[in-house]
PDB file of all heavy atoms in Angstrom:
ATOM      1  N   VAL A  22      73.191 119.650  52.087  1.00  0.00           N
ATOM      2  CA  VAL A  22      72.150 120.700  52.204  1.00  0.00           C
ATOM      3  C   VAL A  22      71.905 121.310  50.860  1.00  0.00           C
ATOM      4  O   VAL A  22      72.716 121.073  49.968  1.00  0.00           O
ATOM      5  CB  VAL A  22      72.600 121.785  53.267  1.00  0.00           C
ATOM      6  CG1 VAL A  22      72.728 121.240  54.589  1.00  0.00           C
ATOM      7  CG2 VAL A  22      73.850 122.467  52.812  1.00  0.00           C
ATOM      8  N   CYS A  23      70.878 121.903  50.708  1.00  0.00           N
ATOM      9  CA  CYS A  23      70.509 122.705  49.545  1.00  0.00           C
ATOM     10  C   CYS A  23      71.573 123.788  49.267  1.00  0.00           C
ATOM     11  O   CYS A  23      72.164 124.375  50.209  1.00  0.00           O
ATOM     12  CB  CYS A  23      69.181 123.381  49.570  1.00  0.00           C
ATOM     13  SG  CYS A  23      67.802 122.137  49.577  1.00  0.00           S
ATOM     14  N   LEU A  24      71.934 124.101  48.061  1.00  0.00           N
ATOM     15  CA  LEU A  24      72.873 125.029  47.715  1.00  0.00           C
ATOM     16  C   LEU A  24      72.482 126.382  48.308  1.00  0.00           C
ATOM     17  O   LEU A  24      71.342 126.717  48.283  1.00  0.00           O
ATOM     18  CB  LEU A  24      72.970 125.144  46.168  1.00  0.00           C
ATOM     19  CG  LEU A  24      74.119 125.986  45.541  1.00  0.00           C
ATOM     20  CD1 LEU A  24      75.363 125.339  45.912  1.00  0.00           C
ATOM     21  CD2 LEU A  24      73.959 126.061  44.059  1.00  0.00           C
ATOM     22  N   ASN A  25      73.394 127.180  48.855  1.00  0.00           N
ATOM     23  CA  ASN A  25      73.296 128.463  49.531  1.00  0.00           C
ATOM     24  C   ASN A  25      72.375 128.361  50.752  1.00  0.00           C
ATOM     25  O   ASN A  25      71.628 129.237  51.067  1.00  0.00           O
ATOM     26  CB  ASN A  25      72.644 129.338  48.538  1.00  0.00           C
ATOM     27  CG  ASN A  25      73.641 129.679  47.389  1.00  0.00           C
ATOM     28  OD1 ASN A  25      74.820 129.937  47.598  1.00  0.00           O
ATOM     29  ND2 ASN A  25      73.103 129.792  46.131  1.00  0.00           N
ATOM     30  N   SER A  26      72.531 127.227  51.428  1.00  0.00           N
ATOM     31  CA  SER A  26      71.784 126.976  52.751  1.00  0.00           C
ATOM     32  C   SER A  26      72.785 126.794  53.880  1.00  0.00           C
ATOM     33  O   SER A  26      73.955 126.608  53.485  1.00  0.00           O
ATOM     34  CB  SER A  26      70.947 125.721  52.766  1.00  0.00           C
ATOM     35  OG  SER A  26      69.930 125.845  51.762  1.00  0.00           O
ATOM     36  N   PRO A  52      77.720 126.929  58.975  1.00  0.00           N
ATOM     37  CA  PRO A  52      78.239 127.624  57.843  1.00  0.00           C
ATOM     38  C   PRO A  52      77.310 127.609  56.587  1.00  0.00           C
ATOM     39  O   PRO A  52      76.510 126.726  56.436  1.00  0.00           O
ATOM     40  CB  PRO A  52      79.522 126.788  57.506  1.00  0.00           C
ATOM     41  CG  PRO A  52      79.086 125.338  57.937  1.00  0.00           C
ATOM     42  CD  PRO A  52      78.256 125.640  59.149  1.00  0.00           C
ATOM     43  N   LEU A  53      77.437 128.665  55.840  1.00  0.00           N
ATOM     44  CA  LEU A  53      76.667 128.842  54.523  1.00  0.00           C
ATOM     45  C   LEU A  53      77.385 127.952  53.475  1.00  0.00           C
ATOM     46  O   LEU A  53      78.730 128.092  53.363  1.00  0.00           O
ATOM     47  CB  LEU A  53      76.663 130.319  54.112  1.00  0.00           C
ATOM     48  CG  LEU A  53      76.002 130.491  52.801  1.00  0.00           C
ATOM     49  CD1 LEU A  53      74.526 130.161  52.842  1.00  0.00           C
ATOM     50  CD2 LEU A  53      76.213 131.922  52.255  1.00  0.00           C
ATOM     51  N   ILE A  54      76.743 127.102  52.851  1.00  0.00           N
ATOM     52  CA  ILE A  54      77.287 126.159  51.950  1.00  0.00           C
ATOM     53  C   ILE A  54      76.964 126.609  50.507  1.00  0.00           C
ATOM     54  O   ILE A  54      75.808 126.550  50.090  1.00  0.00           O
ATOM     55  CB  ILE A  54      76.838 124.715  52.173  1.00  0.00           C
ATOM     56  CG1 ILE A  54      76.980 124.233  53.567  1.00  0.00           C
ATOM     57  CG2 ILE A  54      77.405 123.758  51.132  1.00  0.00           C
ATOM     58  CD1 ILE A  54      78.458 124.216  54.055  1.00  0.00           C
ATOM     59  N   THR A  55      77.968 127.052  49.707  1.00  0.00           N
ATOM     60  CA  THR A  55      77.873 127.455  48.422  1.00  0.00           C
ATOM     61  C   THR A  55      78.453 126.500  47.442  1.00  0.00           C
ATOM     62  O   THR A  55      78.416 126.665  46.193  1.00  0.00           O
ATOM     63  CB  THR A  55      78.512 128.855  48.198  1.00  0.00           C
ATOM     64  OG1 THR A  55      79.927 128.748  48.567  1.00  0.00           O
ATOM     65  CG2 THR A  55      77.920 129.917  49.098  1.00  0.00           C
ATOM     66  N   ALA A  56      79.144 125.448  47.891  1.00  0.00           N
ATOM     67  CA  ALA A  56      79.727 124.368  47.045  1.00  0.00           C
ATOM     68  C   ALA A  56      80.084 123.199  48.012  1.00  0.00           C
ATOM     69  O   ALA A  56      80.074 123.438  49.295  1.00  0.00           O
ATOM     70  CB  ALA A  56      80.980 124.861  46.458  1.00  0.00           C
ATOM     71  N   LYS A  57      80.431 122.121  47.478  1.00  0.00           N
ATOM     72  CA  LYS A  57      80.899 121.004  48.272  1.00  0.00           C
ATOM     73  C   LYS A  57      82.113 121.425  49.088  1.00  0.00           C
ATOM     74  O   LYS A  57      83.023 121.994  48.622  1.00  0.00           O
ATOM     75  CB  LYS A  57      81.242 119.780  47.406  1.00  0.00           C
ATOM     76  CG  LYS A  57      81.667 118.557  48.216  1.00  0.00           C
ATOM     77  CD  LYS A  57      81.880 117.359  47.154  1.00  0.00           C
ATOM     78  CE  LYS A  57      82.350 116.213  47.911  1.00  0.00           C
ATOM     79  NZ  LYS A  57      82.522 115.084  47.045  1.00  0.00           N
ATOM     80  N   THR A  58      82.054 121.258  50.422  1.00  0.00           N
ATOM     81  CA  THR A  58      83.098 121.846  51.301  1.00  0.00           C
ATOM     82  C   THR A  58      83.574 120.837  52.426  1.00  0.00           C
ATOM     83  O   THR A  58      82.725 120.215  53.030  1.00  0.00           O
ATOM     84  CB  THR A  58      82.529 123.115  52.119  1.00  0.00           C
ATOM     85  OG1 THR A  58      81.943 123.982  51.053  1.00  0.00           O
ATOM     86  CG2 THR A  58      83.619 123.851  52.812  1.00  0.00           C
ATOM     87  N   THR A  80      76.234 119.382  48.425  1.00  0.00           N
ATOM     88  CA  THR A  80      75.093 120.185  48.038  1.00  0.00           C
ATOM     89  C   THR A  80      74.063 119.358  47.313  1.00  0.00           C
ATOM     90  O   THR A  80      74.398 118.463  46.635  1.00  0.00           O
ATOM     91  CB  THR A  80      75.516 121.365  47.192  1.00  0.00           C
ATOM     92  OG1 THR A  80      76.066 120.957  45.958  1.00  0.00           O
ATOM     93  CG2 THR A  80      76.478 122.320  47.917  1.00  0.00           C
TER      94      THR A  80
END
Side-chain angles (χ1 to χ4, degrees):
V22 295
C23 293
L24 192 62
N25 296 316
S26 296
L53 177 66
I54 304 299
T55 58
K57 184 176 180 180
T58 307
T80 59

